[in-house]
Amino acid sequence: EGYGEDNFTGDLYGRYSFGNQYERLLDETFIREITLPIIEEDLRIAGILDGIRNLDTLDVGTGRQALCMALLNAKSVHHYDLSKFHVSRFSKIIKEKYGQLPIRTTYLDICKSKLPKEAYDFVYLNGIVQHFSDTSAGLKNCAASVRLGGRIWVYFYRSGTFKWFVCSMIRRLLHAQYLDD
């Protein structure tokens, strides 16, 4: 199966960003013990934790944060990802384990396709903006999707650490053409 010219990044990201770690990242124990407390703290800092039951929320990325917002009883959670692979895997996990939660996942590149206008009370962009293909378009799109009085959480992980230096070096050494060999 080849890469489509229209979504090379999404295909590459979906196939190689997590490998066999994807299932672990959405493992129920990992979510409840590791990810949920982090998201809960972020929502507390954002000032919305106590009122999340009344909020329509949006998350972009792998789906871990979206799942946590649903587990914290958000009114609704809409998840977007530019990887068809991730959306497919996340859909399966939602259906099998979390079908009762108000969460849906959609394949969409938010830098290229419009989000619904004024549809969300809270948009959560955690460690994702620096990966946008067009940062300005992606942020404008997300901002337009927030209702009056809503909030956007934007977090950039620190790329200056040794871990990210090594990741950056590995990315420069590898070329996409060699990954399937």
Side-chain angles (χ1 to χ4, degrees):
E1 169 178 341
Y3 295 112
E5 283 297 314
D6 62 329
N7 193 19
F8 178 79
T9 301
D11 289 345
L12 184 69
Y13 155 70
R15 287 181 73 182
Y16 297 107
S17 62
F18 291 112
N20 63 3
Q21 289 297 310
Y22 188 86
E23 296 299 327
R24 181 170 183 272
L25 289 173
L26 288 170
D27 173 76
E28 192 169 348
T29 301
F30 186 83
I31 288 288
R32 292 195 185 274
E33 292 179 8
I34 306 295
T35 309
L36 192 60
I38 294 169
I39 304 306
E40 199 168 18
E41 179 64 8
D42 289 350
L43 298 180
R44 186 191 62 72
I45 291 168
I48 65 163
L49 181 61
D50 292 336
I52 196 160
R53 291 179 186 273
N54 303 315
L55 302 181
D56 295 309
T57 63
L58 166 108
D59 176 54
V60 178
T62 63
R64 289 178 298 165
Q65 296 92 340
L67 180 56
C68 288
M69 284 188 275
L71 290 169
L72 289 167
N73 298 313
K75 179 180 173 185
S76 72
V77 181
H78 199 150
H79 165 260
Y80 292 100
D81 197 312
L82 60 77
S83 167
K84 291 178 185 177
F85 298 105
H86 282 196
V87 169
S88 175
R89 286 181 277 196
F90 191 40
S91 292
K92 182 180 175 186
I93 290 169
I94 292 169
K95 185 177 179 180
E96 290 175 0
K97 296 181 180 181
Y98 303 102
Q100 77 285 2
L101 294 177
I103 185 171
R104 61 188 170 148
T105 182
T106 303
Y107 161 73
L108 183 82
D109 184 338
I110 64 169
C111 295
K112 296 179 181 175
S113 301
K114 294 293 181 192
L115 293 169
K117 297 273 185 207
E118 299 179 16
Y120 307 106
D121 301 297
F122 184 66
V123 174
Y124 191 73
L125 304 171
N126 192 357
I128 195 76
V129 173
Q130 61 268 28
H131 299 290
F132 284 1
S133 61
D134 183 338
T135 306
S136 177
L139 286 173
K140 284 178 185 177
N141 196 12
C142 288
S145 74
V146 178
R147 292 182 181 129
L148 185 61
R151 298 178 186 201
I152 298 178
W153 175 274
V154 180
Y155 172 79
F156 297 86
Y157 54 78
R158 188 168 161 220
S159 61
T161 62
F162 182 71
K163 171 185 173 183
W164 296 112
F165 168 74
V166 172
C167 288
S168 177
M169 211 159 69
I170 290 169
R171 287 179 181 141
R172 288 186 183 127
L173 292 172
L174 294 175
H175 297 289
Q177 64 193 12
Y178 301 120
L179 291 176
D180 285 328
D181 291 343

